Amino acid sequence: MAAGDHTVLQLSTPLTANLSAKVHPLVIFNICDCYVRRPDQAERVIGTLLGSVLPDGTVDIRNSYAVPHTESAEQVALDIEYHHNMLVSHQKVNPKEVIVGWYSTGLGVTGGSALIHDFYSREVPNPVHLTVDTGFRNGEGTIKAYVSVNLALGDRQLAAQFQEIPLDLRMVEAERLGFDILKTTAVDKLPNDLEGMEVTMQRLLALIDDVYKYVDDVVEGRVAADNSIGRFISDTVASLPKLSTSVFDKLVNDSLQDQLLLLYLSSITRTQLGLAEKLNTAAQIL
């Protein structure tokens, strides 16, 4: 596929009103892992996005796999046979996951993106192009989603216009901690469960302080009241169970003891598996 004959326009303002995308954290982690394992001569990684289209039109991106490719200033070549074999393997495990688009690492779109997008347009109508900044410039991972619209004059195609669409990346606290570590270029060690819980509690306390400050500012008249925020705070407070301090402490301690027990059992299991593997190896040698 030659890249020299294609012009690419990238618009950062979302123009597609009824189309949005939602990406699961597993997809981002998988893309970063593929980028780390890429061949030495490869500057970026390209792959297929799997998922489904929700009834409201949102593209739900739940899985992905990398596709080998070669790329130069003049052309882009994808391993189409590998792509199809991987798709068949994935659909044997989860037949509900279909192709919804493709991804590439780096910032924004390039000249070769139009050619790759044209290939995926033959695989699925209106595919989503996801870009992931695996370099985490300035400590932030820029993740954007685009759709392509062909600009033509009569029968002649002038350019491929990539329009950014709203992208929703939601994470639970454990996934958020992993993503924050991933954005750090170097860490001394991964946090254990207790350290992760400490970071979570500190963040929770900071959010509670922000809520307190907002409520005080509204009461004192320093900030205009927002009914939607007030209802959200009211619903949040109403959802909290009414527990005494002693009962709450008991629930936390019981949960912590259960987690420590699971860690102990998993450690014993790993030890037994390691011992069995060594005994098996010794028996084969003898």
Side-chain angles (χ1 to χ4, degrees):
M1 294 185 289
D5 300 333
H6 287 257
T7 302
V8 175
L9 302 178
Q10 176 182 339
L11 298 180
S12 13
T13 303
L15 296 180
T16 308
N18 298 324
L19 184 62
S20 61
K22 179 174 67 174
V23 59
H24 290 236
L26 173 64
V27 177
I28 306 302
F29 295 148
N30 189 21
I31 293 174
C32 292
D33 180 67
C34 293
Y35 181 77
V36 172
R37 300 172 185 269
R38 74 191 188 282
D40 294 336
Q41 68 276 12
E43 295 184 358
R44 67 172 179 167
V45 176
I46 293 172
T48 302
L49 298 174
L50 301 177
S52 62
V53 180
L54 302 179
D56 61 354
T58 301
V59 179
D60 187 19
I61 305 171
R62 296 193 299 266
N63 207 345
S64 66
Y65 59 85
V67 177
H69 77 289
T70 56
E71 187 173 9
S72 64
E74 293 80 18
Q75 64 180 5
V76 180
L78 292 176
D79 191 337
I80 299 178
E81 183 179 359
Y82 178 89
H83 158 68
H84 288 152
N85 290 336
M86 286 295 293
L87 177 62
V88 171
S89 300
H90 274 270
Q91 289 188 329
K92 287 181 179 178
V93 178
N94 193 344
K96 294 183 179 180
E97 290 185 352
V98 298
I99 298 176
V100 294
W102 66 286
Y103 73 81
S104 66
T105 57
L107 287 172
V109 296
T110 63
S113 298
L115 296 171
I116 302 172
H117 200 86
D118 181 65
F119 165 74
Y120 280 94
S121 296
R122 297 192 293 270
E123 298 283 306
V124 61
N126 200 20
V128 172
H129 175 33
L130 186 72
T131 61
V132 181
D133 176 24
T134 50
F136 295 102
R137 295 168 177 82
N138 300 323
E140 295 294 332
T142 303
I143 305 171
K144 295 184 178 181
Y146 301 90
V147 294
S148 176
V149 177
N150 292 327
L151 301 180
L153 180 61
D155 296 333
R156 180 183 178 186
Q157 181 176 341
L158 300 178
Q161 175 180 311
F162 281 86
Q163 300 176 355
E164 185 179 349
I165 62 175
L167 180 65
D168 184 14
L169 175 60
R170 296 186 180 181
M171 303 181 184
V172 299
E173 192 59 34
E175 294 167 337
R176 174 66 62 184
L177 289 173
F179 188 68
D180 290 341
I181 294 174
L182 192 63
K183 291 190 296 185
T184 306
T185 55
V187 294
D188 296 330
K189 66 181 183 68
L190 293 177
N192 55 37
D193 292 341
L194 293 178
E195 292 172 341
M197 182 181 295
E198 181 182 3
V199 173
T200 302
M201 296 305 296
Q202 290 175 350
R203 184 173 299 171
L204 177 60
L205 291 175
L207 292 175
I208 293 176
D209 290 339
D210 290 340
V211 173
Y212 269 120
K213 183 178 183 302
Y214 172 78
V215 173
D216 290 339
D217 289 342
V218 171
V219 172
E220 297 295 333
R222 293 189 292 267
V223 176
D226 189 322
N227 293 333
S228 61
I229 297 178
R231 283 193 295 268
F232 181 78
I233 295 175
S234 177
D235 293 340
T236 303
V237 174
S239 65
L240 296 176
K242 295 181 179 180
L243 300 175
S244 62
T245 304
S246 59
V247 175
F248 181 77
D249 290 341
K250 185 177 183 302
L251 288 175
V252 173
N253 291 332
D254 290 345
S255 176
L256 182 59
Q257 290 176 5
D258 291 341
Q259 292 182 8
L260 293 176
L261 179 59
L262 288 175
L263 290 175
Y264 175 70
L265 292 177
S266 62
S267 177
I268 292 178
T269 303
R270 285 196 299 268
T271 303
Q272 290 180 339
L273 290 175
L275 181 60
E277 182 180 0
K278 291 182 180 180
L279 290 175
N280 188 29
T281 304
Q284 291 178 357
I285 295 176
L286 297 177

